[in-house]
Structure formats: C-alpha cells, structure tokens
Amino acid sequence: MAEDSLRIGGLSSGLAVILNCEDGKENSSRSHFISCCDDLGHQSVERTLEYVFALPNKSLGPLNSPVDRNAVQSILKNDFLKYHVNPETSVSSRDGIAVDGGGVPQIVGLEGVSICGEIRIVKSPLLLESLAMFSSARANVHVWKGKWMYEVTLETSGIQQLGWATVSCPFTDHKGVGDADDSYAFDGRRVKKWNKEAETYGQPWVAGDIIGCCIDLDCSEISFYRNGVSLGVAFSGIRKLGPGSGYYPAVSLSQGERCELNFGARPFRYPINGYFSLQEPPSVNACSTQLLRCLSRLLEMERVERSSVEKSRSLKRFVSVEEIFYPVSHGICEEFFSLLGADTRSIEYVSCGVLVSFMMEVFGVQVPHNYSSLDRIVDVFLQYQSSHLMFEHVLDALSCGCRTASIVLSECPYSGSYPHLALVCHILRREELMMLWWKSSDFEFIFEGFLSRKSPNRHDLQCMMPSVWWPGSCEDVSYESSMMLTTTALSEGVSKIEEKHRELCLLVMQFIPPLYPLQFPGSVFRTFIQNILLKNRGVDRNMSPPGVSSNSVLVSLYTVILHFLSEGFSMGDCCNWLKTSEGDGRQVGFLHRGGQQSFPIGLFLKNDPHRADISRLGGSFSHLLKSHPVYDREDEVIRWEEGCMDDEETRVTHSTEQKPCCCSNYDADFSRSLKYPIRYAAKGSRVHCSSNSERSAQVAAECSAGSLNDEIVDKPSTSDQSESEFGYRPVRHLRIVPRESNMSTATLREEELLDALLLLYHLGLAPNFKQASYYMSHQSQSISLLEETDKQIRERACGEQLKRLKEARNNYRDDVIDCVRHCTWYRISLFSRWKQRGMYATCMWIVQLLLVLGKMDSVFIYIPEFYLEALVDCFHVLRKSDPPFVPSAIFIKQGLASFVTFVVTHFNDPRISCADLRDLLLQSISVLVQYKEYLSAFENNEAATLRMPKALLSAFDNRSWIPVTNILLRLCKVCGFGSSKHGESSSSSVVFQRLLREACVNDECLFSAFLNRLFNTLSWTMTEFSVSIREMQEKYQVSDFQLRKCCVIFDLSCNLARVLEFCTHEIPQAFLSGSDTNLRRLTELIVFILNHLTSAADAEFFDLSLRRHGQSSEKVNRGTILAPLVGIILNLVDASTEPESIGQNDVVGVFSSMDCLNTIHSGFQYLLEYNWAGSLRGDAYLTKLGQLKCFLSLILCRIETQEIERTTSRIVTDADDGMCCICYATVADTQFVPCSHRSCYGCISRHLLNCVRCFFCNATVAEVVKPQFELEC
C-alpha cells in the first residue's frame, strides 16, 4: 500500500507546532522530542515517532526503511517495551491473601458451599440476585494482612448487608453478614452498620451506587465508600487473624435484591489509594495502557495539524501526519491485540478499563465531539477479528456506566449518562457493531443499562441543589436566582440524556436483523419492548417477582415512546416505514393528528405471551375466551372520527377551529409558572390526613376518607344494585374494516407503541407520580407548619417554650428544604412541557377509544385494565401537575370533555368486573365535583345530566357509599341548616339538585332502596363512632389509628346526615305521604344520634379526642352533626304546614309516640342551648331555633295530652291479644304468606326492606296480606 512505502522525508511545520505544544505536558526530566530543523526546514521522522511512543529524545537511530507496520513493530519490540513495561506491583504487595482452591489462574468468585438461601447468577461473572427471603454467600478468597477492597454495584436499593466475615460466621435464613462475631457489614437501606448489634452509619444508598468495601488489616479497620466518597471508619479494633483464618468478602441479600460484585476482574470504578484488589489484575494491562496512550498522541497530532497547518502547507511541501497514521496505528493495534491474545480475562479487564477511557477521551465528554478521530480509530480496530469480543465488553462497560453515572451540577448539561450514551450512539451507527450487539446474549440487559438513569437520594439532591428557595421563605434573597439557574442547568442535563435515549432507540428501530423470513424495521425494538413488559408483569404488586427491571428503565422507555408519538420522530424520512392512520400529516405527532382515528382490536384479542395474564375489564383473559369467545376478529381495525363521542356544541378536536389544550399556546401562563416553580405546590396543594389506595394514587388523595375502605370491614347491608343502560348516544362515523391485505403484521405500528406506552405508564410512571404527589402535599403541610411556628416565635419572646419552638422550627425548615428539593427534581424529570402535552393528547386519544369500544360489548370486556387505570391516573396527574399545564378553567373544556362522559357512563358499568376500577371512576367524580370549574363541565355534559343522578343513587351500596356520599354532599352543599358556616366556598349545583329531586320523585323504587341504605349506613356509622369512643375511654393509651378512625367515622356520619337533610328538604313527600315507615325510621335515627351525642361521658371524651388529633375545634365539633339534625327536623315541620300536607303523616304525633320521651326532651333542649354563634355566621339561625322551640312545645303538649287520655281512660279490654307483638302500639292487621304469622303493617314493611324471611319462623315470605277482619276494642 502507499502508506507502507512512505519514504523518509521532512516533517510538516504543523507537526512541529503540536510537538512544541505537547512538550510541556510530558515529564520535564525527559529530553525534548524535537531536534532543530536544518537549513532547509527539514526534521526527521524519527523525532516524530519518539513523541508518539513517548521515547527519550534521539533514542531512535536513523530509519533505513519506509515507515510501515514492520518498522513500527520493530520500534515497539526493541525500544517501546524497554522503556514502558515494568511490573506494576512487587510480589510482596500481594502478601496476606489466599484464594481457596489453588487453581491456575486463581479466579476470585463465590464459594459455592457457603451459599445459604438461593442465589441466582443473573449475568456472568458475579451479578447476583436473591430468590430466597434472605440469602448469604462468601467469596473464595480471604485476607489476613494488608489493605484490600472490592466494589459492589447496586442493581436494587433494598436490604443488603455488604462487608467481611470469617469462615466461622454462620449463615442462616435469618442471619447473615454482620450478625455474628468477626462479621462486619453495612446496609444503606437501613443506614446502619452491623456487628451483632446495629448502629447508625453512613448514607442511604440508591440503585446504581457503587459501594467500596475496604479492610485495613494493618490498622485493624473496616471502612466503606459510596461512589468513591468515604463514609468514615465503620469498625476499628477488629481481631487480627493469621493465614487460613482471615476475613472473606461476604454479602447477604433479602428477596429480590440484586448486586454485582467486582473483586478486581474489572478495573475499579472508584479505586481507593493504597488498597489492592482481591483479584490480581492481568499483567498486560500496563503495556496496553501505554499503547493506547500512543494512539491518543497520534490522534491529537493529526487533529491539531488538520485544524492549524493548512496555511503553512502552502509554503513548503512536507510529509503530514495523515501519511504516517495508517502504518503507525496498525502497528500499535497489532501489538495491542497480540498482547490481549485469547485471554478472555485480559480482554475484559482492558476493554472495560483503559480502552473505554481512551475512547471517551478521544470522543470527548462534551460537545463538540470528535467524531472523525473516533471513527478513524474504530476503523482500525475493526480490521482485527479479536476486536469483536473487545467491543462486546466496551458496550457492556458503557451500559454499566449509564447505570452508575450521577448527574453533577457543575458538569451540566453534559452530565450523568450523557457521555456514555453519546459515545455508544455514535459507534452503533456502524451496522457491523449494531449486528455484534444484537447477536450478543446480553443484548437486552445492555440495552436496559443504556436506558437506566440513576435516581438521586436526599444527600445527592443536596449536592445538586445547594441553595433552596420557595415563595414566602426567609432564606437569602440570592437563593432564588441561584435555584433558578440550578433548575435550568439540571433540566438541560436531563433533556440531553433523554435526547440520546431517543437516538439510541431510533437506531434499534431502524436496524433490520438478517433473519428469515425477512424482518421489517422496528421488529427488534418491538421484541425488546415485549420482553421488558413480560419480565415486569408483577412489578405493581406489593412483592415484585424476581428479575424485574429498574424503574428508571421503564420511565426512560416510556419517555422515548411518548416523544415519538407526541412530537414525532424528528429524523427526516428515516422512520417513514411506520404505518399511520392517515396518508398525510407525517410531520405531526401520532397523538395530535385529527380526523379519522383507527385502532387494531387484535391487540386486545390476541393470545400473546406478554399480554395473556393481564387482567381485562371483563375478567381474566382465559375466562373471557371461554365465556365470550371472539372468532375471526383479530385482524379487524376499528375506525372513528375524532370527537365523535362529544357533544357537537362543545366538541374540541385537532380539526376544529379551537384546538385542544395540547395544541394551544399558553406560553405566557407557562412562563409565569416557571418563574416561580415552587409557588404552585406551596399554595395550591391540598393536605390530607389519609393515604390513598394503590389503584387510585392520584384520585383518592383528594377524596374524603378515601382510605377508610381498608379500615372498616363490616358495612351495612344493601339491596342489589340496579343495572342501567350504558350508552346515551350512538357512535357516529364508526366503521369496522378488515386490515389491509398488503400490511405485514410484522411491521411496528404506532398503535402498538401507544399500547406499550400505557402499560409502561402503569408499571413505571404511576409510582413516581404518586411519590411526587406525596412530596408536594408534604411540602405544603411543612410550609404551613413552619409559618405557624414563626408566628408563635414572634408572639413568645422568651422562656423554655421559645427554645422548643426554635427546635421545632429547625426541624420544619429541614423538612421544607428536603421537600422542595424532591419536588424540584420531580418537576425537572417528570413535568417537562412536552411531556405534559403528550400526556394530555394521550388522555384524549384513549378516552375516545374506550368510549367507542364501550359500544362493542364483545371487545370492551377484553380491554386491559391498565388502559383505564393509566387514563384516570394520567388525567389527575396532569390536573395537579406542577407547574400547571393549562388553567383549570379550560383543562376539561378544551379537549377532555369526553373524560367526563366516560366516568359517568362507566362508574357503575357491570361489564367492568373489578370493583376497584369502578371505585376509581367514582372517586374521580368525587374529586372533580368539588371544583367549580370542573363541576360546570359535568353540568354541561349530556351524559352526566342524563345518567349520573340515577346512577349515583343505585351505586350507594355497601362498597361505594363513601364516594357517593361525598359526591351527593358536594352537589347539595348549601341546602342545609348552617352549611355555609365561616363563609366557606361551595361547589353545590342547582342543576344536579333539580335532577336528583326529579330522579327520586320519578323512580320511587330506586329512591326507596336508596333511602333504606342511607338509614342503615348512618345508623351503622353512629354505632361505630360510639363504640370507638367507648373503646378509647377504656384504654390507658390510645393509638393514632384509633383517633383517626374515630374522627373519620364522625366525618362520614356528618356527611350522611347532610345527605339525609337534603332528602327531607327536596322530597319531603317521601316521609309525609303514604306509610309512616320512613318518618318513623327517621325519627328513631334522630333520637338515636341525639342519645349518643348528649351522653356526658361521650361528649367529654369526644372533645378530648379531637384535641389529641390536632384538628381545629372550629372545623370539627359536635355542631357539625347537630346542624343537619336541626335541618332535618325543620324541613319536616315546614313541609307539614303546607296546605297539600294536611291529612298526611303527623310529624308531631310520631315524635311524641316514641318510648324515650326523656331523650327527646333533653336532646331538643341540647340543640336549643348549643353555642351556634361559634359555628354559624350572622343571626339568621335564631329564627330557625325559634321554630325548633315551638316544635318542641307542640311535642310536649301532645305528650301531656296523651298522658291525660291514658289516665282518664277507664276502659279495660282484652284487646291486647290483637296488638302487634313487635311494637305493642298498633293492631296486628297484616300477616305473612304462607306461614300466617301476624304483625302490624308498619313493622312488617320495615322488616321486608332488608330481609324477606318471617321474623317469627324464618320462613321465606311469598306475600303479605291484610285479612278482612276487625278487632274489637
């Protein structure tokens, strides 16, 4: 070749420049590499080669042959090795260590006989996972003197005990490293060190951390390092041991925990000065390092010459570095690969260490990257067959680097995993390397590593955000601008990493594997997604199955797909193989294309392995195949017009003049929210005392007593809920067509990506959003506590109490700072503007799909449950997002009106077999109707006005009564006595009050069943409340759970009483007309509640329990339950005085007929004497109390009259034999059929509301009749 025949000539002046520049970088004791030029300006090539190979000046004699690979090989053999190859360590430096087994070579690994429990090798050599509840193992090497270390890379961040132990340390199912003498461990999950007893030590760890476990037997100390930072000496004065009985590296892992041990088979990521690896490094490492340095100098000379010597080239004709690059680089590589040979251990060690560092140095860790230099060196490497194994290790090392890289503020925006991703994205553009990676057995494991992103803990966030500010804080004013700059820098860093994730995934999507039958673009990416989803099926359970991916992998993959579907692929024509629903609009993201939409229903009907065991709306997939088989429909595609399920007058689509929120411009509002990124969370978040259920992470947090379902097991009985029609309007523009015959099922479709997106959201994003919601809520609460403490400090200037207040303030301030940092990080990583836009469009797309499929029973039941869960959670995440996506006034109105249609249509849908899902929809309604902006959306929604009133009444059962009560309460809030106390805002709806009244009046059976359940439920809650109070009185110590349960039950009782008050106000005929059963039950319930509340002991302890719980007496007191009782009584009184009520049930007579007249009198007196002025505004209530007083007077007069009549009556008869034996107040004029037992009509009617058996003989009642006879007095 031409390069091999290069004659000795001159050296370019540009090369002299670079040599002069580099001269200062070499050891000052070494002679200069450049000789003076002769009169003609020539300089020998020998001096150039001396610089490249770092040889002393003039150590090379004149070359008598061309500079070819043979000449370079000669220099390497005769000169280079003489100066650069020396033993790294002396023999004595490895004294004090012994590898059990004595094999050659001595490989450090796990000692199989030491394993207790079950440990699986996930990936060779030492990536471990515990499959048992607690597993322990030792290495096969022990040390007794010197300083030694090994590294542990955490794949998970749970309970792991890492450290050192002697062979005498017993491993059991419950005891491991650190649980015995001469056994020492560190556990970053519990932040403790272990040596029989646990003590606080170190920092919390996270997945991706590298823990250095160091033992110094010269000083008898053990210490640990987290990512190269010392955690301090953990143990000192450890016992000295001799050969054969030294300390072994040992680990203990709880179930599902994974970590990778590195005893020295790879270079340490964070080597500690003075400590040796347990596995001796290969001898060729030093020489390999020097050879790569030679290549580095050669590349640097070429780069500088190319950039700065063009002008001097025109003056004289000299030999350039370009002309000697080929022979020199190939000569170096031949020696490099010859050194590595076939020793797999050497190739792995060098590749993962100095080679990766060399490539990163050449490429550059920040922009601009040196693509040309890296390409040249990769070209040279790939000419050698053994480079394939080397590149496999390089890819593995880069993947590991992505798992362990942390974002550093000073390095942003090119921080974290960005340098590794940028390098791998560039080299994988070569088809040869992409093929090599794809054929690797660890392809998916390495791919997951590239998508991993290390999450920061509290200590990491403190380093990332040294200055913290929030609106209203007393911190330094400069902290605000500092935090703004920090947030901007970190956001750019995260954005750069996400950009490289997308680039890498696009490369994989474009790769076409050479398989038969012919594959299509996207097949490899689809297989990867399917396998990821398959292995993570149970990650949403309390106990995740073994082998699940890191949460960051799911989040990154979700983010990539969301960007593809929302923002497009942004790669020109490289992705036009994607099949779309339209032939135009390629530049618009899939989620934002208007017009006709389509979806292949085969995604739901196919029995794919990664989907078969996913729960469907109608039950399990296997059950549905048997009960509702679907034949010949797997290839169907359902098509519909966007917005076809919305009301025409309020329809907003991508094709209408008014665009949805995701395609509208709210830059002004968004800029304002970014200016004060903490303000919205601090002022807008709601604080709640109860946690939310797993299925409704974003919904139940805002539902009153949302978690009580888990605390209260026994609930009142109920009748069967009624089923109603689910579909208020036919679907317009709906077509079902067979799939196009020319479309290959192997082609990746955007609909498939959307399907995967939702499952990734459900598995990976939902837990993160739940955690973000917690920190936002906790931040608001902590800020309120801090402000209240500051206020108390200003009011109390001295004393011991001031000292305690200052201590409390410091704790609250630390909590606020911690929450602000976490909220800021979640805002950066989860709430980017484009992500909010994509999430909004996803909600629009999915809710339309679900509404359309809701008209197809055979397909609707096959929809996976995660579709509905992801939709609801994503909707509420966006609604509460920080910063806000759009103003709440248009959030539903401009694009998501169909969400209201969906929740009101399906919250009581019997086709949805899972009651938790129906509860989720019901809780969504409960949350939304408490806001005026969202309530108006319900009032303007046709489906809501047609279906919701009756559906709510029928859904009031023993499972859903809490959210239904909350909804009814919020719709009817201002209807009761004292309901607008303290001027609180109300979200009541006149529209729905009218609709509820009409539903109750027009459907007497429905309202009767609802009223019966309402009576039962309120009676049960008041009984539970009374029992809880008495239980608390009997115990010396009262738990927080008991206090909370007591207060929650009381709140529920108040809400139920308000609903009952609404019924008496709007439908008084239900109590005054016809049978007096409802009126008597209502009266008994009022007396029952008054009896419990006016008990002296109960009342006293109730107030005490409220003080313990820390709730304001203005917010919760006995007046909250007494007020609706007053309202109920006055509603009945007012209705009974109306002209149309004359001759109907006598309210006064029913109250006076109760057999607990003292309770009635004392209860009414208590209502009249209660301090209403402390709970109500104004004096309007005084008139109402006057009415109540008059009503009590009427009752007392009636009672007095009845007493006189009984006293003056002299008639004595035997008619008691014909009296009802249940109430002893009415004639037994009704009998059961067929058993013929008799009672009064009122008692029988009440009994049959809840039971259809005779209360005398338990026989099933077929009929109730009134015999034609009269009883004589």
Side-chain angles (χ1 to χ4, degrees), residues 474 783-797 801-802 805-806 809 812:
C474 300
I783 290 176
S784 298
L785 292 172
L786 180 61
E787 292 174 349
E788 179 64 25
T789 306
D790 285 337
K791 179 181 177 181
Q792 294 180 18
I793 290 175
R794 290 191 297 269
E795 294 174 352
R796 296 175 177 85
Q801 188 177 13
L802 179 62
L805 286 173
K806 288 184 176 180
R809 184 195 184 279
Y812 292 144

Side-chain angles (χ1 to χ4, degrees), residues 975-978 1065 1126-1127 1130-1131 1134 1168 1176 1179-1191:
C975 293
F977 175 78
H1065 182 270
V1126 174
L1130 295 180
N1131 289 338
D1134 292 340
L1168 293 170
L1176 306 179
D1179 55 2
Y1181 68 92
L1182 295 176
T1183 304
K1184 298 289 186 181
L1185 292 181
Q1187 291 181 263
L1188 183 64
K1189 187 174 182 180
C1190 292
F1191 181 67

Side-chain angles (χ1 to χ4, degrees), residues 1044-1063:
R1044 179 172 171 269
K1045 177 183 176 182
C1046 182
C1047 291
V1048 167
I1049 294 177
F1050 180 76
D1051 290 340
L1052 291 173
S1053 301
C1054 297
N1055 295 344
L1056 290 167
R1058 283 294 182 187
V1059 173
L1060 192 54
E1061 183 184 12
F1062 168 78
C1063 294

Side-chain angles (χ1 to χ4, degrees), residues 204 456-463 465-470 475 483 678 771-772 774-780 782-783 786 809-827:
N457 63 10
R458 181 176 182 176
H459 293 270
D460 302 328
L461 289 175
Q462 187 174 356
C463 297
M465 306 175 199
S467 301
V468 173
W469 178 89
W470 64 94
E475 308 299 315
M483 191 169 184
I678 316 297
Q771 192 71 9
Y774 162 77
Y775 276 108
M776 291 176 184
S777 176
H778 190 57
Q779 171 184 304
S780 177
S782 299
I783 290 176
L786 180 61
R809 184 195 184 279
N810 291 334
N811 293 332
Y812 292 144
R813 179 180 177 274
D814 291 341
D815 286 344
V816 171
I817 290 175
D818 182 50
C819 287
V820 169
R821 287 189 174 119
H822 277 92
C823 290
T824 303
W825 174 250
Y826 281 121
R827 189 179 304 109

